[in-house]
Amino acid sequence: MSKDLGELFLHRIRDAKKRRELSWWEKIYLREVARGLWLTSWHFWRNLFLHIAHRVGLFRDIPASVTIQYPDQSRETSPRLRTRHRLTQREDGSPRCVACMLCETVCPARCIYITPKEHPDPNIEKMPASFDIDLGKCVYCGYCVEVCPEDAIRMDTQIHTIAAYSREEMLLHLPELLNPGSTTRQGNSPLPAP
Amino acid sequence: MVTELLIKLALTAFFILGLVLNFAGLLTWVERKQSAIMQDRVGANRAIFQIHGWWARPINFVIRKIAGLGLLHPLADALKMMAKEDFIPAQGQRLLHTLAPFVSVFFALVTFAAIPFGDTLNVGGRAINLQIAKMDIGLLYILAMASLGIYGVFLAGVSSGNNYAYLGGVRAAAQMLAYEIAMGVSLLGILIWYGTLELQQMVRLQGGTWFGWIPRWGVFVQPVGFIIFLTAAIAETKRVPFDLPEGESEIIGYFVEYSGMKFGMFFLTDFVETVLVACLATTLFFGGWQVPYLYADGWHLPWGAAARLPHLAVVGLQLASFTFKVAGFLWLQMLIRWTLPRFRFDQLVRLGWKGLFPVSLANIVVTAIVVVALK
Ligand code: SF4
Ligand code: SF4
């Protein structure tokens, strides 16, 4: 039985590798060329017409190309997408993070650096004195989010234009993490106008 | 004598600088944009510069509009080519390496001398033949010059001191052999039919109509010859699907050791040759500057309507017609270039020797029999 099955698969593989015989029309290639040219020229005239129509304000809802003109337009991203980190806040604006160091421990890239300190409220044990994430090392695995017991860290800012001129600028510190985009230094310097 | 010379110079300037080189330069833009539009993309549109100062606002506005169409990219290309280092490999042969691109572009450009781009223009009691050089052997001249262009390519391959470049040159030579012959033979049919090698004469013979409404264009008597000619001529331009001599991204071509403006000249040669093929196809098979139903004194439409036109308007229409046909063929070649995949080398040689060559021979025989039968 198993041998038969093996034979069967071998035949399948051999058959799959065999090329289909070309018909005479395909061999002289002219008809196929004409078909190809027809297809591409159809695209050409359709898109050209749409481009011109867009210039004069017609058919704006039918796109003439699939291109997203990136720095000018950006793509809709899914809310599930893991984007730049942020730290959630309590009502009074202090970080929810209790400096349990779980995320620092789990981080496979070892790019989270936390210094804990005493929290003034006796019901809460600790809070971070500093909380840095080095985006230059982060692999966007999302483990830090998974592991956090306090829902204190999330990756839902939808910021993915992360580029900087130096390694220091790739380091996000606490104020930036609490209010994403509030400090321009942290690896999210606004794009130069095109 | 001096006036004659000046007129020739003006014609050369008009045709070569005004038409051919403009087309060739614009082709870099057309290549980018047409391929983009065919593939549902937008295409290059980011090259831009702005002039500082409040007075430059209207200029900047115009520049922005032009740049939005991507028309500043050819300019950026040219600047880049001129600014780049001109590198000659240590293993290469200095003289030949420098000579090769010039040979290549020279033979591509001189070919245009024989191509008529308009009928006789009568101004100030002078009849000017709108053709740079009237040659009784025009067609032979064109074929000869076009095939001499291979020397540039081959020299580039041989003198670079690089085996990849050498192989590219060899491929180019093999390809030329396979296609040059088919191209020459395919044109014999049209030669038999019109009985002249002089291109202006050939275009004149394509005026008028059969049965009152089919223009007497070469393509209607030589459809097979036309297809063979177009195939072989595209092979001659060394562009996809016949770009085996170049194949920049995969198989590395003869100009791998070239940089800067010398590379630019090879690049330009390709585009000039593309224009040449368009001009030749127009001249030989699509009536050159002839406009259907337009005669020296004005329109004579098939259903009997007629309108008189002044001489200058007729010449203008003919020039426009020539330009329009050439542009159409350029479009077609771009379409082919961005549609068909590259041939494998054995397929290419087989197509040349076992496909096009015999068919073009058969074409001659049939044409000859028909011509004799009609006489
Ligand atoms: S996403 Fe992964 S790599 Fe990045 S900080 Fe969180 S745990 Fe570390
Ligand atoms: S796992 Fe959460 S609570 Fe613990 S240190 Fe990280 S962010 Fe703070």
Side-chain angles (χ1 to χ4, degrees):
Chain A
M1 177 65 206
S2 69
K3 184 167 173 286
D4 289 355
L5 210 62
E7 287 279 297
L8 188 75
F9 275 124
L10 267 182
H11 275 295
R12 284 250 173 105
I13 291 168
R14 276 193 210 118
D15 287 351
K17 280 201 168 170
K18 241 179 237 159
R19 290 228 177 128
R20 189 171 59 85
E21 272 291 303
L22 295 183
S23 68
W24 187 78
W25 274 108
E26 283 166 340
K27 266 192 198 136
I28 66 161
Y29 201 45
L30 280 177
R31 193 188 64 166
E32 302 301 310
V33 167
R35 275 175 45 186
L37 292 181
W38 169 256
L39 184 74
T40 45
S41 58
W42 190 83
H43 273 259
F44 176 80
W45 290 114
R46 172 189 175 274
N47 292 336
L48 188 68
F49 170 75
L50 284 174
H51 276 300
I52 295 170
H54 288 184
R55 291 250 157 177
V56 297
L58 294 168
F59 304 115
R60 279 275 163 88
D61 45 335
I62 311 174
S65 69
V66 294
T67 312
I68 297 168
Q69 295 272 344
Y70 166 59
D72 301 343
Q73 311 162 345
S74 50
R75 185 170 163 176
E76 291 272 313
T77 47
S78 153
R80 291 170 66 241
L81 183 73
R82 288 199 288 262
T83 48
R84 227 186 70 187
H85 311 67
R86 73 182 170 101
L87 290 181
T88 52
Q89 305 174 356
R90 296 174 195 278
E91 268 98 64
D92 61 355
S94 63
R96 288 178 71 97
C97 171
V98 293
C100 69
M101 315 298 265
L102 276 176
C103 55
E104 184 177 326
T105 313
V106 80
C107 176
R110 302 205 181 155
C111 63
I112 304 182
Y113 312 103
I114 308 170
T115 324
K117 73 172 181 196
E118 206 71 40
H119 198 279
D121 185 345
N123 292 323
I124 306 167
E125 200 178 346
K126 291 187 289 180
M127 66 182 287
S130 76
F131 193 116
D132 298 331
I133 298 182
D134 189 348
L135 289 182
K137 291 184 187 165
C138 171
V139 295
Y140 290 83
C141 62
Y143 286 1
C144 48
V145 179
E146 294 281 322
V147 83
C148 179
E150 298 285 323
D151 190 19
I153 186 165
R154 290 191 190 172
M155 297 177 75
D156 59 357
T157 52
Q158 300 296 327
I159 301 174
H160 46 257
T161 52
I162 299 156
Y165 288 107
S166 66
R167 288 170 194 234
E168 288 71 44
E169 282 175 87
M170 294 299 279
L171 206 66
L172 300 185
H173 56 35
L174 194 55
E176 171 65 24
L177 282 166
L178 282 171
N179 297 297
S182 60
T183 57
T184 49
R185 188 184 140 253
Q186 301 293 344
N188 64 335
S189 5
L191 284 165
Chain B
M1 186 61 212
V2 177
T3 1
E4 289 289 306
L5 205 65
L6 281 180
I7 288 170
K8 282 279 177 248
L9 276 180
L11 283 183
T12 318
F14 171 78
F15 187 50
I16 300 282
L17 296 178
L19 209 66
V20 175
L21 285 182
N22 261 341
F23 263 137
L26 269 181
L27 273 182
T28 59
W29 174 74
V30 173
E31 169 131 297
R32 288 193 177 111
K33 276 301 191 188
Q34 186 176 337
S35 63
I37 293 179
M38 277 163 61
Q39 299 169 348
D40 298 353
R41 294 184 284 115
V42 174
N45 60 359
R46 292 274 156 178
I48 192 168
F49 66 93
Q50 299 273 265
I51 303 168
H52 285 288
W54 57 268
W55 51 270
R57 290 244 178 90
I59 305 175
N60 282 344
F61 178 77
V62 176
I63 293 176
R64 269 202 300 278
K65 287 288 165 219
I66 293 174
L69 290 171
L71 273 170
L72 292 184
H73 277 266
L75 205 65
D77 276 344
L79 276 179
K80 182 194 78 173
M81 301 248 184
M82 284 180 210
K84 268 191 162 179
E85 185 194 353
D86 175 21
F87 182 78
I88 298 176
Q91 305 272 314
Q93 298 162 27
R94 259 197 112 71
L95 178 70
L96 292 184
H97 187 271
T98 313
L99 198 63
F102 291 93
V103 170
S104 198
V105 86
F106 173 78
F107 285 119
L109 279 177
V110 288
T111 318
F112 286 95
I115 289 179
F117 50 92
D119 202 356
T120 321
L121 173 68
N122 296 314
V123 273
R126 203 178 265 285
I128 303 167
N129 188 17
L130 291 184
Q131 182 187 23
I132 294 170
K134 180 175 165 6
M135 276 178 269
D136 290 340
I137 50 153
L139 192 56
L140 289 185
Y141 167 78
I142 285 180
L143 287 177
M145 290 300 145
S147 40
L148 277 178
I150 178 65
Y151 274 105
V153 174
F154 197 65
L155 275 184
V158 169
S159 66
S160 288
N162 178 323
N163 286 342
Y164 287 115
Y166 184 75
L167 283 176
V170 170
R171 281 199 302 270
Q175 175 168 330
M176 288 292 158
L177 271 184
Y179 284 86
E180 202 65 54
I181 293 176
M183 182 161 140
V185 175
S186 75
L187 290 182
L188 282 185
I190 203 134
L191 231 166
I192 295 173
W193 184 265
Y194 289 116
T196 172
L197 279 166
E198 211 277 298
L199 292 173
Q200 185 71 283
Q201 182 64 20
M202 207 179 264
V203 173
R204 291 224 171 88
L205 288 175
Q206 292 183 54
T209 50
W210 286 297
F211 314 120
W213 58 279
I214 306 176
R216 284 179 185 264
W217 289 356
V219 64
F220 295 117
V221 276
Q222 287 286 315
V224 179
F226 171 65
I227 289 173
I228 295 169
F229 168 76
L230 198 64
T231 317
I234 290 174
E236 184 88 10
T237 62
K238 308 185 287 296
R239 285 160 60 75
V240 184
F242 301 102
D243 71 330
L244 283 145
E246 305 183 355
E248 296 119 43
S249 48
E250 299 90 8
I251 47 178
I252 309 181
Y254 55 88
F255 50 44
V256 60
E257 292 291 357
Y258 281 85
S259 58
M261 207 54 214
K262 285 189 201 155
F263 172 78
M265 285 168 97
F266 278 124
F267 206 67
L268 183 73
T269 309
D270 277 12
F271 285 123
V272 169
E273 278 178 346
T274 310
V275 181
L276 174 69
V277 171
C279 284
L280 274 182
T282 305
T283 309
L284 299 172
F285 292 97
F286 278 79
W289 40 260
Q290 299 277 7
V291 191
Y293 319 128
L294 182 74
Y295 296 88
D297 58 342
W299 297 100
H300 292 276
L301 295 176
W303 51 90
R308 298 193 71 77
L309 278 181
H311 175 67
L312 277 182
V314 171
V315 174
L317 270 176
Q318 287 167 343
L319 281 179
S321 150
F322 183 76
T323 317
F324 178 76
K325 287 175 193 168
V326 169
F329 271 106
L330 292 178
W331 178 82
L332 182 70
Q333 286 184 70
M334 284 290 164
L335 194 74
I336 291 174
R337 188 246 175 275
W338 286 98
T339 302
L340 303 182
R342 178 189 299 149
F343 281 93
R344 214 170 51 214
F345 198 71
D346 61 323
Q347 291 172 333
L348 176 126
V349 175
R350 197 182 309 140
L351 178 68
W353 285 112
K354 288 169 91 177
L356 298 183
F357 183 50
V359 175
S360 54
L361 279 182
N363 184 40
I364 297 182
V365 173
V366 173
T367 315
I369 291 172
V370 169
V371 167
V372 170
L374 284 182
K375 284 270 157 67

